[in-house]
């Protein structure tokens, strides 16, 4: 990050992120904003991403309903060898140096969903009689988020003086590795977990992460100390992953 950006963040206790409008007719301004954000912090807000409010609300509703189930029921869909399904609290420890057993969050991984039922689908699905809209909601959201992600990658490519379709042309989005990761963080913690985090310090894997929130704050960036990233409301937060740098250099 630039010294100016870091000083502003440290002074205010939060990071002031730029907003990138995916529907802006001013392509140059959008590209310049993406480049500035990637150089200075690796984060930016995304608006006009094409994901409808109703779909996002349905996604959060399905997620909330699942995480409210008793633990023993959720464990019936425990994450499999293909990394699809449910992960319980304390099952992951993103920061190996943490003194705690594991992170407080629980999560559910969902990969690409085909147009027809696949005989070897690695995804795990809650029972349809209790979650009749789950699969369709996840399928629609996956497609919409992937489309938004491709548009962001085009802006990133242009910011690197590459062709807009550079990442698509090298097959970077052809491996069906895009994953929806539903996350739930506890509102209250036991005394023994004081100082523990919902998700401990880490860098995201992959190329980019599109983070949707319900308005609850909590996302932070580490730059000598933890700096808060304000809740984005209906905007998404875009986070760079290390694979993006690797592919851009190659």
């Amino acid at each position: 990050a630039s010294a100016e950006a870091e000083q502003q963040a440290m002074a205010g206790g939060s990071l002031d992120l730029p907003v990138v409008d995916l529907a802006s007719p001013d392509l140059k301004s959008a590209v310049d904003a993406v480049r500035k954000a990637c150089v200075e912090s690796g984060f930016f807000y995304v608006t006009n991403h094409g994901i409808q409010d109703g779909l996002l609300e349905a996604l959060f509703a399905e997620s909330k309903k699942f995480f409210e189930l008793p633990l023993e029921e959720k464990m019936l869909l425990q994450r499999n060898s293909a990394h699809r399904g449910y992960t319980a609290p304390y099952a992951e420890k993103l920061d190996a140096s943490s003194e705690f057993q594991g992170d407080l969050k629980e999560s559910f991984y969902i990969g690409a969903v085909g147009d027809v039922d696949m005989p070897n689908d690695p995804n795990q699905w809650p029972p349809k009689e209790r979650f009749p809209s789950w699969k369709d909601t996840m399928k629609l959201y996956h497609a919409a988020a992937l489309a938004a992600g491709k548009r962001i990658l085009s802006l990133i490519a242009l910011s690197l003086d590459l062709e807009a379709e550079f990442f698509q042309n090298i097959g970077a989005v052809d491996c069906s590795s895009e994953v929806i990761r539903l996350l739930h963080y506890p509102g209250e913690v036991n005394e023994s977990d004081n100082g523990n985090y919902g998700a401990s310090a880490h860098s995201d894997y992959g190329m980019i992460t599109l983070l949707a929130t319900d308005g609850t704050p909590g996302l932070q960036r580490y730059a000598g100390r933890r700096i808060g990233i304000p809740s984005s409301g209906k905007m998404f937060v875009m986070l760079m992953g290390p694979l993006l740098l690797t592919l851009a250099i190659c």
Side-chain angles (χ1 to χ4, degrees), residues 26-212:
D26 188 347
L27 181 61
K28 184 180 185 305
S29 291
V31 169
D32 290 345
V34 166
R35 181 177 179 83
K36 184 175 187 293
C38 289
V39 169
E40 293 189 348
S41 68
F43 295 77
F44 56 83
Y45 294 123
V46 178
T47 189
N48 286 323
H49 39 66
I51 301 174
Q52 299 299 316
D53 291 348
L55 177 56
L56 197 55
E57 290 167 3
L59 180 83
F60 279 120
E62 294 287 347
S63 177
K64 182 176 185 294
K65 182 179 176 182
F66 176 81
F67 286 123
E68 287 176 345
L69 292 175
L71 179 61
E72 57 270 21
E73 292 189 38
K74 291 182 284 191
M75 289 300 289
L76 295 174
L77 297 173
Q78 185 174 8
R79 191 174 63 178
N80 58 27
S81 60
H83 299 282
R84 304 290 187 266
Y86 175 70
T87 301
Y90 306 106
E92 291 185 323
K93 185 175 180 177
L94 297 178
D95 183 358
S97 67
S98 171
E99 64 184 88
F100 296 95
Q101 172 189 346
D103 297 341
L104 297 173
K105 70 182 184 307
E106 54 183 338
S107 57
F108 198 98
Y109 294 78
I110 304 162
V113 184
D115 292 329
V116 297
D117 290 336
M118 298 180 292
N120 297 315
D121 183 5
N123 286 307
Q124 301 194 73
W125 306 108
K128 191 169 185 177
E129 59 272 15
R130 296 180 63 182
F131 292 84
S133 302
W134 175 281
K135 188 172 182 178
D136 286 342
T137 299
M138 301 306 159
K139 178 180 175 180
L140 289 171
Y141 181 79
H142 186 280
L146 179 58
K150 288 180 178 179
R151 289 160 68 192
I152 292 169
L153 285 174
S154 291
L155 291 177
I156 292 174
L158 290 171
S159 78
L160 295 169
D161 295 324
L162 300 170
E163 294 181 1
E165 304 302 313
F166 172 79
F167 292 109
Q168 288 88 325
N169 291 339
I170 65 172
V173 294
D174 294 342
C175 56
S176 300
S177 61
E178 309 87 12
V179 173
I180 299 172
R181 193 180 189 198
L182 306 175
L183 294 168
H184 174 249
Y185 299 92
E188 298 180 2
V189 298
N190 299 324
E191 185 175 344
S192 61
D193 276 316
N194 283 340
N196 198 2
Y197 290 94
S200 53
H202 65 282
S203 61
D204 280 11
Y205 45 81
M207 297 180 68
I208 61 172
T209 296
L210 281 178
L211 178 64

